[in-house]
Amino acid sequence: QVHLVESGESSVQAGGSLRLSCAASGPTYAMNCVGWFRQAPGKKEREGVAVIYRGGDTTWYDDSVKGRFILSQDNAKNTVYLQMNSLKPEDTAMYYCAAVYGFYYEAKHFPYWGRGTQVTVSS
């Protein structure tokens, strides 16, 4: 069973930085792709933010975060990090970590999810 736990600082002023962590446990074959998604207040859908294919460091970033957010991973700790820089109030959302076998960037393809962590960016 894949288990994902998100953690990190929760609030910052606009222009600041935060780093989120996603610690994974369980069968590694089932989570060779880890993604970060977010759900903003009042929105029904979770949107893809960034995805990393852990086998080859291939990454995908949504246009809204390109150049500001950076994915990295520590295989020894089985953890994926999302460094978020130049944060904007519109980045405020619940952020979720998810895993899948393969390489996808749409939430519908990901069967394993963490519980989420709130990120608030104040203006």
Side-chain angles (χ1 to χ4, degrees), residues 18-117:
L18 292 175
R19 189 177 82 156
L20 302 181
S21 301
C22 173
S25 60
T28 54
Y29 68 84
M31 47 182 175
N32 65 346
C33 175
V34 173
W36 285 96
F37 297 82
R38 65 187 179 188
Q39 188 168 9
K43 288 199 173 180
K44 292 183 180 179
E45 306 264 328
R46 293 179 186 179
E47 63 174 4
V49 174
V51 173
I52 184 167
Y53 178 70
R54 303 184 62 199
D57 278 343
T58 300
T59 56
W60 169 87
Y61 295 93
D62 184 75
D63 286 345
S64 64
V65 305
K66 275 181 185 175
R68 300 189 298 125
F69 290 13
I70 303 170
L71 282 164
S72 62
Q73 58 180 338
D74 184 334
N75 289 329
K77 295 182 179 179
N78 217 12
T79 299
V80 172
Y81 303 98
L82 182 67
Q83 178 66 41
M84 305 186 292
N85 303 317
S86 302
L87 282 159
K88 306 173 183 179
E90 51 263 44
D91 292 317
T92 294
M94 183 71 81
Y95 282 72
Y96 297 89
C97 171
V100 67
Y101 177 79
F103 186 71
Y104 303 94
Y105 54 88
E106 293 179 303
K108 64 181 181 181
H109 296 295
F110 287 73
Y112 307 109
W113 290 84
R115 291 189 173 184
T117 186

